[in-house]
Amino acid sequence: MSRSPYRLCLVTDRGLAGGRALIEIVAAAVAGGVSMVQLREKTLDTRAFVEEARALKALLAPLRVPLLINDRLDVALACGADGVHVGQSDMPVEIARALLPKGALVGLSITCAHDLRRADARAADYLGVGPIFAQSTKPDATPPLGVEGFRALRALSEKPMMVIGGIASDNCAPLLAAGADGLAVVSAIIAAPDPEAASRAFDARLKDAGK
């Protein structure tokens, strides 16, 4: 049986790469167990964003690892990505789904119970819930939910949920026990000196939890 793509998602942040090529970090992370990649770029111009997305798609497609694009539906279409991940103020899920090819994934960020009651949450394929812990990669993030805050949201939806925000290999076990379907990780992999080893540490935690 193939593992869920939601098991371990790498969310990119070139600012944490330490000057290393993003494609090299992604390749190492996938070798370590990453099951999905979300390309998040806030500063690249569109041409460079598309070029980077196409390079990652070429790397990931033979490995059957889905590539999702954060926010930018146009970039997802241009590179043949496997889907998009949107936030509460981005394009509605149903519109994104209508514009994407059949079978594309659409994920949605969730920060509170109100978000779960919106139509977008019911229409999404999976939910990215957070921030769970204090983090530094998203300056405009809402206050951390903590494990108990996540547990409360988990009880409100049966959709696949990945937790994000300050996730590390030494703090994720309680979240998996609380019902997280997977982990979405930024700095603990991107900034790691050895992204493959960092990914393997998460993979071990997931296996321990039966994921």
Side-chain angles (χ1 to χ4, degrees):
M1 181 186 299
S2 61
R3 291 177 177 174
S4 165
Y6 308 131
R7 188 172 177 270
L8 181 56
C9 177
L10 173 63
V11 181
T12 70
D13 185 330
R14 69 173 46 254
L16 297 171
R20 295 171 295 174
L22 192 62
I23 195 166
E24 294 176 5
I25 294 175
V26 170
V30 169
V34 160
S35 58
M36 186 163 76
V37 175
Q38 182 189 138
L39 179 58
R40 186 168 71 183
E41 288 289 359
K42 301 297 185 182
T43 59
L44 282 187
D45 60 43
T46 298
R47 183 180 294 270
F49 196 165
V50 169
E51 289 176 354
E52 181 176 66
R54 284 179 169 171
L56 284 178
K57 177 63 178 176
L59 167 72
L60 298 173
L63 303 174
R64 297 186 179 180
V65 173
L67 172 67
L68 272 64
I69 306 298
N70 184 273
D71 296 348
R72 295 286 300 274
L73 181 67
D74 57 334
V75 174
L77 291 169
C79 75
D82 299 285
V84 295
H85 184 94
V86 296
Q88 293 295 316
S89 61
D90 297 322
M91 183 177 293
V93 170
E94 289 286 25
I95 295 177
R97 191 180 301 285
L99 295 170
L100 287 164
K102 184 178 180 180
L105 298 174
V106 182
L108 176 70
S109 294
I110 297 290
T111 63
C112 62
H114 172 73
D115 294 344
L116 281 173
R117 290 191 284 268
R118 297 178 64 182
D120 264 3
R122 295 189 293 274
D125 292 296
Y126 73 89
L127 307 173
V129 181
I132 302 298
F133 304 116
Q135 49 80 49
S136 60
T137 62
K138 197 172 183 184
D140 59 345
T142 55
L145 291 164
V147 175
E148 292 310 312
F150 167 71
R151 192 190 306 276
L153 295 184
R154 172 73 279 182
L156 300 177
S157 174
E158 295 183 354
K159 291 277 185 179
M161 286 186 176
M162 289 190 291
V163 287
I164 189 169
I167 306 299
S169 60
D170 61 359
N171 67 17
C172 64
L175 292 159
L176 295 169
D181 295 282
L183 311 170
V185 181
V186 190
S187 59
I189 292 177
I190 294 288
D194 186 340
E196 181 175 348
S199 300
R200 289 194 187 282
F202 281 108
D203 183 66
R205 296 292 188 184
L206 287 156
K207 286 177 179 174
D208 288 344
K211 305 289 184 182

